[in-house]
Amino acid sequence: MKTPSTFYLVLLLGMFLLNAACSKDDGPEAPPPAAEEQPKEEENPSEEEEEEEEEPANLAPEPFNLIGVTDGAVGVDVYPTFSWQTATDPDGDAITYDLYLGKEEDSTELYRQTLPVPLLK
């Protein structure tokens, strides 16, 4: 019959051989991590370049209200005409409208996109 010490000696020898067989030399080497490229700072940028970098943020159009088919309306035609106030943009940008329809208050189902006028028949 084998003694417990013989069992542990064989187990220890097996673990040593397993560890030696799994050395770091096996398989291809992983590529070195890519060095992060540091942005180059320009020396003495001109005043024009500084002004160009500071573009003002685009402001959102002013709020507007529904005119036709108001919220909570009853007895509405099956194919209603939607109309709303013309929005104004503080930056003077052209305005287009996206119409979302749904049963929920904050519907995310896009019905029509980039409408040029505040009317949909």
Side-chain angles (χ1 to χ4, degrees):
M1 185 171 354
K2 296 182 180 177
T3 62
S5 60
T6 307
F7 174 75
Y8 289 118
L9 184 61
V10 171
L11 182 64
L12 184 61
L13 180 63
M15 290 175 58
F16 174 75
L17 290 174
L18 182 63
N19 188 28
C22 296
S23 68
K24 291 184 180 179
D25 297 327
D26 294 345
E29 230 177 87
E36 292 183 24
E37 193 173 308
Q38 298 294 329
K40 297 178 182 178
E41 293 183 23
E42 292 182 23
E43 295 178 17
N44 303 324
S46 67
E47 289 181 24
E48 283 183 20
E49 291 175 355
E50 287 180 11
E51 289 178 11
E52 289 177 10
E53 291 175 8
E54 296 177 20
E55 292 183 26
N58 187 17
L59 300 174
E62 299 294 326
F64 56 91
N65 295 311
L66 286 171
I67 297 172
V69 189
T70 58
D71 189 23
V74 293
V76 177
D77 188 23
V78 176
Y79 299 104
T81 298
F82 292 96
S83 62
W84 51 91
Q85 295 174 329
T86 302
T88 56
D89 187 86
D91 299 323
D93 297 331
I95 296 176
T96 60
Y97 306 90
D98 293 344
L99 181 63
Y100 292 84
L101 294 178
K103 294 180 180 180
E104 303 296 321
E105 184 173 332
D106 293 326
S107 177
T108 57
E109 186 175 335
L110 182 61
Y111 182 71
R112 290 284 192 274
Q113 185 176 9
T114 319
L115 298 166
V117 294
L119 180 71
L120 179 66
K121 292 185 180 186

PDB file of all heavy atoms in Angstrom, residues 39-58:
ATOM      1  N   PRO A  39      -0.870  64.832 -28.867  1.00  0.00           N
ATOM      2  CA  PRO A  39      -1.139  65.895 -29.832  1.00  0.00           C
ATOM      3  C   PRO A  39      -0.038  66.947 -29.770  1.00  0.00           C
ATOM      4  O   PRO A  39       0.441  67.307 -28.699  1.00  0.00           O
ATOM      5  CB  PRO A  39      -2.488  66.467 -29.386  1.00  0.00           C
ATOM      6  CG  PRO A  39      -2.663  66.028 -27.975  1.00  0.00           C
ATOM      7  CD  PRO A  39      -1.847  64.777 -27.816  1.00  0.00           C
ATOM      8  N   LYS A  40       0.348  67.394 -30.955  1.00  0.00           N
ATOM      9  CA  LYS A  40       1.398  68.408 -31.023  1.00  0.00           C
ATOM     10  C   LYS A  40       0.774  69.779 -30.849  1.00  0.00           C
ATOM     11  O   LYS A  40      -0.220  70.113 -31.481  1.00  0.00           O
ATOM     12  CB  LYS A  40       2.124  68.330 -32.365  1.00  0.00           C
ATOM     13  CG  LYS A  40       2.843  67.021 -32.557  1.00  0.00           C
ATOM     14  CD  LYS A  40       3.509  66.977 -33.909  1.00  0.00           C
ATOM     15  CE  LYS A  40       4.188  65.633 -34.131  1.00  0.00           C
ATOM     16  NZ  LYS A  40       4.806  65.554 -35.443  1.00  0.00           N
ATOM     17  N   GLU A  41       1.354  70.563 -29.993  1.00  0.00           N
ATOM     18  CA  GLU A  41       0.871  71.912 -29.785  1.00  0.00           C
ATOM     19  C   GLU A  41       1.598  72.840 -30.737  1.00  0.00           C
ATOM     20  O   GLU A  41       2.804  72.763 -30.907  1.00  0.00           O
ATOM     21  CB  GLU A  41       1.108  72.352 -28.338  1.00  0.00           C
ATOM     22  CG  GLU A  41       0.283  71.577 -27.347  1.00  0.00           C
ATOM     23  CD  GLU A  41       0.497  72.086 -25.936  1.00  0.00           C
ATOM     24  OE1 GLU A  41       0.911  73.243 -25.778  1.00  0.00           O
ATOM     25  OE2 GLU A  41       0.254  71.323 -25.002  1.00  0.00           O
ATOM     26  N   GLU A  42       0.828  73.709 -31.388  1.00  0.00           N
ATOM     27  CA  GLU A  42       1.440  74.667 -32.288  1.00  0.00           C
ATOM     28  C   GLU A  42       2.078  75.779 -31.475  1.00  0.00           C
ATOM     29  O   GLU A  42       1.565  76.194 -30.450  1.00  0.00           O
ATOM     30  CB  GLU A  42       0.387  75.267 -33.216  1.00  0.00           C
ATOM     31  CG  GLU A  42      -0.168  74.264 -34.199  1.00  0.00           C
ATOM     32  CD  GLU A  42      -1.163  74.927 -35.133  1.00  0.00           C
ATOM     33  OE1 GLU A  42      -1.092  76.154 -35.306  1.00  0.00           O
ATOM     34  OE2 GLU A  42      -1.993  74.211 -35.684  1.00  0.00           O
ATOM     35  N   GLU A  43       3.177  76.231 -31.982  1.00  0.00           N
ATOM     36  CA  GLU A  43       3.856  77.334 -31.316  1.00  0.00           C
ATOM     37  C   GLU A  43       3.293  78.638 -31.847  1.00  0.00           C
ATOM     38  O   GLU A  43       3.215  78.850 -33.048  1.00  0.00           O
ATOM     39  CB  GLU A  43       5.363  77.264 -31.574  1.00  0.00           C
ATOM     40  CG  GLU A  43       6.015  76.042 -30.969  1.00  0.00           C
ATOM     41  CD  GLU A  43       7.495  75.986 -31.304  1.00  0.00           C
ATOM     42  OE1 GLU A  43       8.068  77.014 -31.708  1.00  0.00           O
ATOM     43  OE2 GLU A  43       8.076  74.904 -31.170  1.00  0.00           O
ATOM     44  N   ASN A  44       2.885  79.490 -30.959  1.00  0.00           N
ATOM     45  CA  ASN A  44       2.399  80.830 -31.280  1.00  0.00           C
ATOM     46  C   ASN A  44       1.332  80.842 -32.369  1.00  0.00           C
ATOM     47  O   ASN A  44       1.555  81.331 -33.462  1.00  0.00           O
ATOM     48  CB  ASN A  44       3.571  81.740 -31.702  1.00  0.00           C
ATOM     49  CG  ASN A  44       4.620  81.812 -30.632  1.00  0.00           C
ATOM     50  OD1 ASN A  44       4.312  81.800 -29.450  1.00  0.00           O
ATOM     51  ND2 ASN A  44       5.879  81.897 -31.044  1.00  0.00           N
ATOM     52  N   PRO A  45       0.141  80.282 -32.109  1.00  0.00           N
ATOM     53  CA  PRO A  45      -0.904  80.346 -33.135  1.00  0.00           C
ATOM     54  C   PRO A  45      -1.328  81.785 -33.356  1.00  0.00           C
ATOM     55  O   PRO A  45      -1.324  82.607 -32.437  1.00  0.00           O
ATOM     56  CB  PRO A  45      -2.039  79.506 -32.552  1.00  0.00           C
ATOM     57  CG  PRO A  45      -1.804  79.506 -31.090  1.00  0.00           C
ATOM     58  CD  PRO A  45      -0.306  79.635 -30.907  1.00  0.00           C
ATOM     59  N   SER A  46      -1.677  82.102 -34.585  1.00  0.00           N
ATOM     60  CA  SER A  46      -2.075  83.477 -34.883  1.00  0.00           C
ATOM     61  C   SER A  46      -3.445  83.759 -34.282  1.00  0.00           C
ATOM     62  O   SER A  46      -4.184  82.864 -33.903  1.00  0.00           O
ATOM     63  CB  SER A  46      -2.107  83.686 -36.395  1.00  0.00           C
ATOM     64  OG  SER A  46      -3.147  82.902 -36.954  1.00  0.00           O
ATOM     65  N   GLU A  47      -3.793  85.028 -34.205  1.00  0.00           N
ATOM     66  CA  GLU A  47      -5.071  85.422 -33.606  1.00  0.00           C
ATOM     67  C   GLU A  47      -6.241  84.908 -34.434  1.00  0.00           C
ATOM     68  O   GLU A  47      -7.283  84.555 -33.902  1.00  0.00           O
ATOM     69  CB  GLU A  47      -5.134  86.937 -33.485  1.00  0.00           C
ATOM     70  CG  GLU A  47      -4.195  87.479 -32.425  1.00  0.00           C
ATOM     71  CD  GLU A  47      -4.307  88.990 -32.308  1.00  0.00           C
ATOM     72  OE1 GLU A  47      -5.359  89.554 -32.679  1.00  0.00           O
ATOM     73  OE2 GLU A  47      -3.344  89.596 -31.826  1.00  0.00           O
ATOM     74  N   GLU A  48      -6.085  84.841 -35.770  1.00  0.00           N
ATOM     75  CA  GLU A  48      -7.156  84.335 -36.620  1.00  0.00           C
ATOM     76  C   GLU A  48      -7.479  82.890 -36.289  1.00  0.00           C
ATOM     77  O   GLU A  48      -8.639  82.517 -36.200  1.00  0.00           O
ATOM     78  CB  GLU A  48      -6.759  84.434 -38.095  1.00  0.00           C
ATOM     79  CG  GLU A  48      -6.863  85.815 -38.668  1.00  0.00           C
ATOM     80  CD  GLU A  48      -6.526  85.829 -40.157  1.00  0.00           C
ATOM     81  OE1 GLU A  48      -6.599  84.755 -40.791  1.00  0.00           O
ATOM     82  OE2 GLU A  48      -6.203  86.891 -40.666  1.00  0.00           O
ATOM     83  N   GLU A  49      -6.464  82.072 -36.088  1.00  0.00           N
ATOM     84  CA  GLU A  49      -6.679  80.671 -35.774  1.00  0.00           C
ATOM     85  C   GLU A  49      -7.372  80.516 -34.433  1.00  0.00           C
ATOM     86  O   GLU A  49      -8.220  79.657 -34.263  1.00  0.00           O
ATOM     87  CB  GLU A  49      -5.350  79.915 -35.782  1.00  0.00           C
ATOM     88  CG  GLU A  49      -4.750  79.776 -37.162  1.00  0.00           C
ATOM     89  CD  GLU A  49      -3.382  79.147 -37.139  1.00  0.00           C
ATOM     90  OE1 GLU A  49      -2.858  78.907 -36.032  1.00  0.00           O
ATOM     91  OE2 GLU A  49      -2.822  78.899 -38.215  1.00  0.00           O
ATOM     92  N   GLU A  50      -7.038  81.354 -33.468  1.00  0.00           N
ATOM     93  CA  GLU A  50      -7.684  81.287 -32.157  1.00  0.00           C
ATOM     94  C   GLU A  50      -9.163  81.620 -32.284  1.00  0.00           C
ATOM     95  O   GLU A  50     -10.002  80.999 -31.652  1.00  0.00           O
ATOM     96  CB  GLU A  50      -7.003  82.237 -31.181  1.00  0.00           C
ATOM     97  CG  GLU A  50      -5.644  81.751 -30.720  1.00  0.00           C
ATOM     98  CD  GLU A  50      -4.994  82.714 -29.747  1.00  0.00           C
ATOM     99  OE1 GLU A  50      -5.673  83.641 -29.274  1.00  0.00           O
ATOM    100  OE2 GLU A  50      -3.800  82.527 -29.466  1.00  0.00           O
ATOM    101  N   GLU A  51      -9.500  82.617 -33.112  1.00  0.00           N
ATOM    102  CA  GLU A  51     -10.897  82.994 -33.278  1.00  0.00           C
ATOM    103  C   GLU A  51     -11.678  81.897 -33.985  1.00  0.00           C
ATOM    104  O   GLU A  51     -12.833  81.651 -33.669  1.00  0.00           O
ATOM    105  CB  GLU A  51     -10.990  84.305 -34.070  1.00  0.00           C
ATOM    106  CG  GLU A  51     -10.518  85.508 -33.279  1.00  0.00           C
ATOM    107  CD  GLU A  51     -10.583  86.791 -34.096  1.00  0.00           C
ATOM    108  OE1 GLU A  51     -11.190  86.785 -35.187  1.00  0.00           O
ATOM    109  OE2 GLU A  51     -10.033  87.789 -33.638  1.00  0.00           O
ATOM    110  N   GLU A  52     -11.054  81.225 -34.953  1.00  0.00           N
ATOM    111  CA  GLU A  52     -11.739  80.162 -35.680  1.00  0.00           C
ATOM    112  C   GLU A  52     -12.054  78.978 -34.782  1.00  0.00           C
ATOM    113  O   GLU A  52     -13.051  78.308 -34.959  1.00  0.00           O
ATOM    114  CB  GLU A  52     -10.890  79.692 -36.862  1.00  0.00           C
ATOM    115  CG  GLU A  52     -10.820  80.708 -37.978  1.00  0.00           C
ATOM    116  CD  GLU A  52      -9.915  80.246 -39.102  1.00  0.00           C
ATOM    117  OE1 GLU A  52      -9.505  79.073 -39.105  1.00  0.00           O
ATOM    118  OE2 GLU A  52      -9.603  81.070 -39.974  1.00  0.00           O
ATOM    119  N   GLU A  53     -11.214  78.704 -33.813  1.00  0.00           N
ATOM    120  CA  GLU A  53     -11.417  77.577 -32.917  1.00  0.00           C
ATOM    121  C   GLU A  53     -12.607  77.787 -32.000  1.00  0.00           C
ATOM    122  O   GLU A  53     -13.236  76.849 -31.573  1.00  0.00           O
ATOM    123  CB  GLU A  53     -10.151  77.326 -32.094  1.00  0.00           C
ATOM    124  CG  GLU A  53      -8.998  76.812 -32.923  1.00  0.00           C
ATOM    125  CD  GLU A  53      -7.724  76.686 -32.122  1.00  0.00           C
ATOM    126  OE1 GLU A  53      -7.779  76.862 -30.885  1.00  0.00           O
ATOM    127  OE2 GLU A  53      -6.675  76.421 -32.721  1.00  0.00           O
ATOM    128  N   GLU A  54     -12.946  79.016 -31.699  1.00  0.00           N
ATOM    129  CA  GLU A  54     -14.024  79.320 -30.758  1.00  0.00           C
ATOM    130  C   GLU A  54     -15.309  79.640 -31.507  1.00  0.00           C
ATOM    131  O   GLU A  54     -15.759  80.774 -31.533  1.00  0.00           O
ATOM    132  CB  GLU A  54     -13.621  80.492 -29.868  1.00  0.00           C
ATOM    133  CG  GLU A  54     -12.433  80.198 -28.992  1.00  0.00           C
ATOM    134  CD  GLU A  54     -12.012  81.399 -28.160  1.00  0.00           C
ATOM    135  OE1 GLU A  54     -12.838  82.312 -27.978  1.00  0.00           O
ATOM    136  OE2 GLU A  54     -10.869  81.422 -27.719  1.00  0.00           O
ATOM    137  N   GLU A  55     -15.928  78.619 -32.112  1.00  0.00           N
ATOM    138  CA  GLU A  55     -17.188  78.819 -32.801  1.00  0.00           C
ATOM    139  C   GLU A  55     -18.316  78.847 -31.778  1.00  0.00           C
ATOM    140  O   GLU A  55     -18.341  78.030 -30.861  1.00  0.00           O
ATOM    141  CB  GLU A  55     -17.427  77.695 -33.797  1.00  0.00           C
ATOM    142  CG  GLU A  55     -16.475  77.710 -34.962  1.00  0.00           C
ATOM    143  CD  GLU A  55     -16.802  76.629 -35.964  1.00  0.00           C
ATOM    144  OE1 GLU A  55     -17.984  76.209 -36.031  1.00  0.00           O
ATOM    145  OE2 GLU A  55     -15.879  76.205 -36.667  1.00  0.00           O
ATOM    146  N   PRO A  56     -19.250  79.777 -31.919  1.00  0.00           N
ATOM    147  CA  PRO A  56     -20.367  79.811 -30.967  1.00  0.00           C
ATOM    148  C   PRO A  56     -21.258  78.591 -31.149  1.00  0.00           C
ATOM    149  O   PRO A  56     -21.379  78.051 -32.248  1.00  0.00           O
ATOM    150  CB  PRO A  56     -21.103  81.107 -31.335  1.00  0.00           C
ATOM    151  CG  PRO A  56     -20.708  81.382 -32.742  1.00  0.00           C
ATOM    152  CD  PRO A  56     -19.326  80.815 -32.923  1.00  0.00           C
ATOM    153  N   ALA A  57     -21.872  78.167 -30.073  1.00  0.00           N
ATOM    154  CA  ALA A  57     -22.757  77.005 -30.114  1.00  0.00           C
ATOM    155  C   ALA A  57     -24.019  77.344 -30.895  1.00  0.00           C
ATOM    156  O   ALA A  57     -24.492  78.477 -30.876  1.00  0.00           O
ATOM    157  CB  ALA A  57     -23.116  76.582 -28.695  1.00  0.00           C
ATOM    158  N   ASN A  58     -24.555  76.369 -31.598  1.00  0.00           N
ATOM    159  CA  ASN A  58     -25.799  76.549 -32.336  1.00  0.00           C
ATOM    160  C   ASN A  58     -26.952  76.506 -31.340  1.00  0.00           C
ATOM    161  O   ASN A  58     -27.116  75.530 -30.618  1.00  0.00           O
ATOM    162  CB  ASN A  58     -25.947  75.446 -33.380  1.00  0.00           C
ATOM    163  CG  ASN A  58     -27.143  75.686 -34.277  1.00  0.00           C
ATOM    164  OD1 ASN A  58     -27.674  76.782 -34.344  1.00  0.00           O
ATOM    165  ND2 ASN A  58     -27.571  74.652 -34.957  1.00  0.00           N
TER     166      ASN A  58
END
